[in-house]
Amino acid sequence: RPTITFSVGQKYLEGSGRSIPSFNLLAALEESKKYLIKFGGHRQAAGLKVDKKNIKKLYSKLLKFAKRKLSKEDLIPTISIDAELAFSEINDKLWGELKRLEPHGMANPYPLFFSKGVKVIDRRLVGKDQDHLKLRLSQKGKIFDGIGFDLGEAGRKLSAGDQIKVAYSIDQNNWNGRKRLQLKIRDFKVS
């Protein structure tokens, strides 16, 4: 969802906003400019300053703009997959090619892959609050470990033997001097 967060000063609020591709945050601020001291940015990111006395009016104006411009479909989370991969294609050579694409960031995101027909061999919840998911996955005999940060709740529904579709980036786990490729799981769906 489009979001603006503010730091609170004595008289002013200074904010930073981020949006989704289907919502033009800068246009929303432009339409609300009579309540703003200053603002700037682009479609998906902006900064702004507002007098505390105008924050409720600004909120109302932005909410009306969003109701006009956003549909329910716009708020359905999506994942942009770069390519479908078979586990048999994941190897050190591919890892080397992916490393050549670095550095990754907003304008150059990590490549995201998709595999189907993947069997869950093992599932564990990890982290202090068990909010992360560790999986051992297999596809046609090729096995990889995977980690899904903040996927613990969704992972509670998984069991060994389940068949899933999985979206992931490829990472290298360096632990105790051993380097192994692993999957950084973004999302999954039971087949």
Side-chain angles (χ1 to χ4, degrees), residues 135-172:
L135 293 174
R136 190 147 176 82
L137 301 171
S138 172
Q139 184 192 52
K140 296 182 180 178
K142 183 85 177 208
I143 297 172
F144 284 100
D145 289 332
I147 182 75
F149 295 105
D150 299 317
L151 290 177
E153 190 60 39
R156 292 180 197 284
K157 300 171 188 152
L158 278 181
S159 300
D162 284 348
Q163 290 279 328
I164 64 172
K165 300 174 185 176
V166 61
Y168 57 90
S169 56
I170 299 170
D171 196 16
Q172 188 176 62

XYZ file of all heavy atoms in Angstrom, residues 135-172:
288
model
N 13.621 -24.186 4.808
C 13.114 -25.338 4.072
C 14.264 -26.112 3.447
O 15.293 -25.547 3.104
C 12.178 -24.884 2.941
C 10.864 -24.235 3.332
C 10.142 -23.731 2.093
C 9.985 -25.199 4.108
N 14.058 -27.390 3.302
C 14.930 -28.237 2.496
C 14.022 -28.707 1.366
O 12.978 -29.320 1.606
C 15.465 -29.398 3.317
C 16.549 -30.168 2.627
C 17.535 -30.693 3.700
N 18.558 -31.516 3.119
C 19.651 -31.048 2.528
N 19.853 -29.750 2.463
N 20.545 -31.857 2.012
N 14.410 -28.380 0.131
C 13.547 -28.588 -1.020
C 14.218 -29.488 -2.049
O 15.438 -29.468 -2.205
C 13.218 -27.243 -1.671
C 12.513 -26.221 -0.777
C 12.450 -24.858 -1.460
C 11.118 -26.708 -0.419
N 13.401 -30.219 -2.792
C 13.911 -31.129 -3.811
C 13.074 -31.005 -5.081
O 11.852 -30.870 -5.021
C 13.834 -32.572 -3.296
O 14.145 -33.488 -4.305
N 13.767 -31.058 -6.206
C 13.095 -31.126 -7.501
C 13.880 -32.109 -8.355
O 15.066 -31.880 -8.648
C 13.029 -29.751 -8.176
C 12.241 -29.771 -9.477
C 12.415 -28.499 -10.274
O 13.540 -28.083 -10.524
N 11.302 -27.887 -10.655
N 13.254 -33.213 -8.695
C 13.869 -34.260 -9.523
C 15.249 -34.668 -9.000
O 16.220 -34.760 -9.751
C 13.937 -33.817 -10.971
C 12.567 -33.604 -11.584
C 12.646 -33.211 -13.034
C 11.236 -33.006 -13.571
N 11.241 -32.580 -14.965
N 15.343 -34.832 -7.682
C 16.577 -35.309 -7.071
C 17.591 -34.239 -6.698
O 18.532 -34.519 -5.970
N 17.428 -33.031 -7.184
C 18.353 -31.930 -6.841
C 17.795 -31.239 -5.591
O 16.635 -30.834 -5.563
C 18.465 -30.956 -8.009
C 19.419 -29.831 -7.816
C 20.843 -30.209 -8.183
C 21.725 -28.990 -8.025
N 22.863 -28.953 -8.845
N 18.635 -31.068 -4.572
C 18.190 -30.565 -3.268
C 18.867 -29.236 -2.946
O 20.070 -29.076 -3.159
C 18.499 -31.600 -2.158
C 17.714 -32.889 -2.424
C 18.177 -31.032 -0.783
C 18.090 -34.031 -1.514
N 18.074 -28.306 -2.418
C 18.585 -27.017 -1.945
C 17.934 -26.662 -0.621
O 16.771 -26.984 -0.379
C 18.299 -25.886 -2.945
C 19.189 -25.902 -4.133
C 18.743 -26.427 -5.334
C 20.486 -25.402 -4.062
C 19.566 -26.455 -6.439
C 21.313 -25.438 -5.160
C 20.854 -25.960 -6.359
N 18.722 -25.968 0.206
C 18.160 -25.349 1.397
C 17.611 -23.995 0.988
O 18.116 -23.352 0.070
C 19.238 -25.147 2.467
C 19.689 -26.458 3.085
O 18.885 -27.415 3.118
O 20.844 -26.535 3.537
N 16.580 -23.563 1.699
C 16.003 -22.254 1.436
C 15.677 -21.554 2.734
O 15.381 -22.199 3.747
N 15.730 -20.238 2.699
C 15.354 -19.423 3.855
C 14.320 -18.402 3.396
O 14.503 -17.761 2.367
C 16.583 -18.732 4.509
C 16.189 -17.913 5.740
C 17.347 -17.884 3.524
C 15.882 -18.705 6.948
N 13.249 -18.291 4.134
C 12.192 -17.328 3.823
C 12.019 -16.398 5.009
O 11.392 -16.768 6.008
N 12.582 -15.203 4.904
C 12.467 -14.246 5.995
C 11.034 -13.729 6.079
O 10.410 -13.413 5.071
C 13.465 -13.096 5.819
C 14.888 -13.555 5.914
C 15.684 -13.673 4.778
C 15.425 -13.920 7.142
C 16.993 -14.116 4.864
C 16.733 -14.378 7.238
C 17.513 -14.474 6.097
N 10.510 -13.689 7.289
C 9.137 -13.252 7.568
C 8.083 -14.145 6.916
O 6.958 -13.714 6.694
C 8.931 -11.785 7.167
C 9.838 -10.845 7.936
O 9.984 -11.040 9.168
O 10.423 -9.932 7.327
N 8.425 -15.381 6.639
C 7.457 -16.332 6.080
C 7.077 -17.414 7.089
O 6.471 -18.416 6.735
C 8.020 -16.987 4.815
C 8.147 -16.096 3.586
C 8.777 -16.866 2.428
C 6.793 -15.541 3.174
N 7.421 -17.209 8.344
C 7.143 -18.206 9.374
C 5.671 -18.535 9.504
O 5.295 -19.706 9.576
N 4.828 -17.530 9.498
C 3.388 -17.763 9.662
C 2.850 -18.595 8.504
O 2.119 -19.566 8.707
C 2.639 -16.431 9.763
C 1.189 -16.564 10.158
C 0.982 -17.234 11.512
O 1.762 -16.987 12.452
O 0.011 -18.012 11.628
N 3.200 -18.234 7.286
C 2.751 -18.993 6.112
C 3.341 -20.403 6.137
O 2.681 -21.366 5.721
C 3.149 -18.271 4.837
N 4.565 -20.528 6.627
C 5.242 -21.819 6.656
C 4.640 -22.812 7.628
O 4.848 -24.019 7.496
N 3.877 -22.331 8.596
C 3.242 -23.238 9.561
C 2.289 -24.208 8.865
O 2.007 -25.285 9.373
C 2.488 -22.444 10.627
C 3.379 -21.661 11.553
C 2.562 -20.884 12.595
N 3.345 -19.846 13.214
C 4.273 -20.021 14.139
N 4.530 -21.238 14.574
N 4.944 -19.008 14.639
N 1.784 -23.820 7.712
C 0.823 -24.652 6.985
C 1.504 -25.723 6.130
O 0.839 -26.591 5.595
C -0.056 -23.759 6.107
C -0.850 -22.737 6.901
C -1.530 -21.742 5.993
C -2.148 -20.637 6.842
N -2.237 -19.392 6.146
N 2.819 -25.635 5.979
C 3.564 -26.593 5.155
C 3.939 -27.833 5.947
O 4.199 -27.758 7.148
C 4.860 -25.965 4.652
C 4.805 -25.077 3.437
C 6.205 -24.579 3.099
C 4.193 -25.763 2.247
N 4.016 -28.941 5.240
C 4.465 -30.197 5.846
C 5.439 -30.877 4.905
O 5.390 -30.661 3.683
C 3.277 -31.134 6.078
O 2.339 -30.550 6.940
N 6.291 -31.723 5.458
C 7.181 -32.528 4.624
C 6.319 -33.341 3.674
O 5.276 -33.865 4.051
C 8.038 -33.430 5.498
N 6.746 -33.393 2.421
C 6.000 -34.122 1.401
C 5.125 -33.239 0.526
O 4.710 -33.644 -0.554
N 4.830 -32.016 0.994
C 4.014 -31.106 0.191
C 4.736 -30.748 -1.109
O 5.960 -30.623 -1.132
C 3.722 -29.805 0.953
C 2.669 -29.961 2.032
O 1.982 -31.003 2.057
O 2.532 -29.030 2.855
N 3.975 -30.578 -2.168
C 4.492 -30.085 -3.443
C 4.171 -28.598 -3.504
O 3.040 -28.187 -3.203
C 3.795 -30.782 -4.617
C 4.167 -32.234 -4.770
C 5.499 -32.402 -5.480
O 5.871 -31.623 -6.332
N 6.223 -33.448 -5.107
N 5.171 -27.774 -3.857
C 4.964 -26.329 -3.906
C 5.506 -25.732 -5.196
O 6.308 -26.341 -5.899
C 5.604 -25.607 -2.695
C 7.131 -25.773 -2.701
C 4.986 -26.072 -1.388
C 7.853 -24.924 -1.656
N 5.034 -24.525 -5.470
C 5.633 -23.621 -6.446
C 6.362 -22.603 -5.595
O 5.833 -22.167 -4.564
C 4.566 -22.918 -7.274
C 3.671 -23.841 -8.058
C 2.557 -23.037 -8.717
C 1.574 -23.957 -9.397
N 0.438 -23.213 -9.953
N 7.548 -22.192 -5.996
C 8.333 -21.311 -5.134
C 8.991 -20.199 -5.952
O 9.487 -20.431 -7.054
C 9.375 -22.121 -4.313
C 10.356 -22.830 -5.206
C 10.089 -21.266 -3.295
N 8.940 -18.970 -5.422
C 9.624 -17.808 -6.004
C 10.806 -17.493 -5.092
O 10.661 -17.443 -3.872
C 8.680 -16.617 -6.091
N 11.988 -17.254 -5.691
C 13.209 -17.109 -4.888
C 14.296 -16.387 -5.675
O 14.267 -16.300 -6.898
C 13.732 -18.492 -4.479
C 13.995 -19.387 -5.668
C 15.245 -19.407 -6.287
C 12.990 -20.186 -6.194
C 15.477 -20.206 -7.393
C 13.207 -20.980 -7.308
C 14.455 -20.990 -7.906
O 14.689 -21.772 -9.009
N 15.253 -15.902 -4.929
C 16.521 -15.465 -5.521
C 17.570 -16.473 -5.059
O 17.348 -17.239 -4.131
C 16.880 -14.040 -5.089
O 16.931 -13.930 -3.693
N 18.678 -16.475 -5.737
C 19.750 -17.414 -5.401
C 20.784 -16.667 -4.569
O 21.143 -15.538 -4.870
C 20.379 -17.998 -6.677
C 19.308 -18.758 -7.459
C 21.558 -18.915 -6.334
C 19.731 -19.185 -8.844
N 21.231 -17.324 -3.506
C 22.169 -16.715 -2.577
C 23.256 -17.739 -2.265
O 23.114 -18.920 -2.564
C 21.413 -16.315 -1.300
C 22.167 -15.356 -0.419
O 23.143 -14.741 -0.883
O 21.776 -15.220 0.754
N 24.313 -17.256 -1.650
C 25.372 -18.164 -1.215
C 25.473 -18.083 0.297
O 25.627 -17.003 0.867
C 26.709 -17.797 -1.848
C 27.783 -18.824 -1.587
C 29.074 -18.482 -2.297
O 29.665 -17.449 -2.009
N 29.482 -19.326 -3.218
